[in-house]
Amino acid sequence: MGEVKVIGASLSSFCCRIEWALKLKGVEYEYIEEDLRNKSPILLQYNPVHKKIPVLVHNGKPVAESLVILEYIDETWQENPLLPKDPLEKSTARFWARFVDEKCILSAWDACRAEEHEKERAVESAQESLGIIDKLIEGKKFFGGETIGFLDLVVGSLPNWLKFLEELGGIKLVDAEKFPSFHEWSKKFVEIPFIKEKIPMPDDLINYFTTSGLAKTIRGSALANNK
């Protein structure tokens, strides 16, 4: 099916989705690590508009944005389908994938960065989103049913990212008692060998943010109005 390249960053929760999908499909690919502080000519060549990762390059043609790339992979390589064939089920999976990216990830990030007097409310907002995800996976092995599907790969980027934000922001987002189904699914999902191989680890994320000075910036902004 031609040459496949992935331009990404090993600590990106969006990039790992692409590698998971390719491994699930049995597709061989070349991985190109991107330095986000010094963007490379190849990234600017293949994603000149947004200049962001991940980018999938297939036979010299680029596809950008993780959810778009996942659908491209699923349509191009038929083995181990990610999305259901039923139009309604497919649309539903797309809807919840957008919910994860636009609500769960962003609300958790906002909770991490919130100023002290706003932190409790921000955490509650993030947990409200996680509660919806908890209901979605209740009684299921995977979001896709009995096998890993599109939504599993999207939600799969959450567990370690949330642990990282909890440590960075000094907050608690995932409570096993509040979200038992999501908590149980998360524990099992991150231990799947090909998932574990590529998932960003919380300690590595903390180290990156600390050494780059980003952690200090985030904590400083959260305390700015309390001085």
Side-chain angles (χ1 to χ4, degrees):
M1 293 293 289
E3 183 184 53
V4 178
K5 297 179 181 179
V6 176
I7 304 171
S10 57
L11 294 181
S12 167
S13 57
F14 296 99
C15 293
C16 60
R17 301 170 174 177
I18 310 308
E19 292 196 83
W20 291 340
L22 291 171
K23 288 183 175 295
L24 193 59
K25 296 279 189 177
V27 178
E28 294 186 3
Y29 62 94
E30 177 188 352
Y31 177 77
I32 301 171
E33 179 75 14
E34 182 66 30
D35 182 355
L36 300 181
R37 289 170 289 188
N38 184 25
K39 295 180 180 180
S40 68
I42 192 170
L43 175 62
L44 301 180
Q45 173 189 348
Y46 285 118
N47 193 2
V49 177
H50 296 298
K51 304 177 179 65
K52 294 180 179 180
I53 54 168
V55 179
L56 178 81
V57 183
H58 185 207
N59 289 331
K61 297 180 180 179
V63 184
E65 298 186 12
S66 67
L67 299 185
V68 176
I69 296 171
L70 288 178
E71 290 206 44
Y72 178 86
I73 290 171
D74 201 32
E75 292 177 6
T76 303
W77 292 278
Q78 302 297 312
E79 301 84 358
N80 300 320
L82 302 177
L83 282 162
K85 291 183 179 180
D86 179 78
L88 179 58
E89 292 180 4
K90 184 180 293 187
S91 297
T92 300
R94 288 170 174 158
F95 172 84
W96 288 118
R98 289 290 180 189
F99 177 82
V100 170
D101 280 3
E102 296 172 7
K103 188 66 177 175
C104 295
I105 290 178
L106 292 182
S107 63
W109 181 244
D110 287 343
C112 174
R113 299 176 66 230
E115 296 167 6
E116 199 61 37
H117 67 281
E118 296 178 340
K119 197 171 286 288
E120 182 177 354
R121 184 174 60 182
V123 168
E124 288 176 356
S125 177
Q127 290 185 330
E128 182 180 344
S129 300
L130 294 175
I132 294 173
I133 297 299
D134 183 68
K135 293 297 183 183
L136 285 179
I137 190 60
E138 188 176 6
K140 300 177 183 177
K141 183 177 181 181
F142 296 109
F143 287 93
E146 289 300 309
T147 58
I148 295 174
F150 181 81
L151 193 53
D152 292 282
L153 299 184
V154 176
V155 182
S157 60
L158 277 179
N160 283 5
W161 175 252
L162 293 175
K163 288 180 181 178
F164 154 65
L165 292 180
E166 287 178 332
E167 183 172 344
L168 184 64
I171 55 178
K172 184 65 176 176
L173 294 170
V174 181
D175 188 315
E177 292 185 3
K178 280 187 178 180
F179 314 122
S181 299
F182 175 64
H183 182 262
E184 188 64 22
W185 173 87
S186 297
K187 285 198 306 180
K188 293 178 179 178
F189 186 80
V190 298
E191 290 301 321
I192 297 172
F194 80 93
I195 298 295
K196 190 174 184 178
E197 180 186 355
K198 293 296 180 181
I199 195 169
M201 301 305 291
D203 288 347
D204 293 331
L205 288 164
I206 285 290
N207 182 61
Y208 173 79
F209 270 71
T210 301
T211 57
S212 66
L214 292 173
K216 184 177 180 180
T217 300
I218 292 168
R219 288 170 178 148
S221 66
L223 294 172
N225 289 349
N226 295 314
K227 292 181 177 179

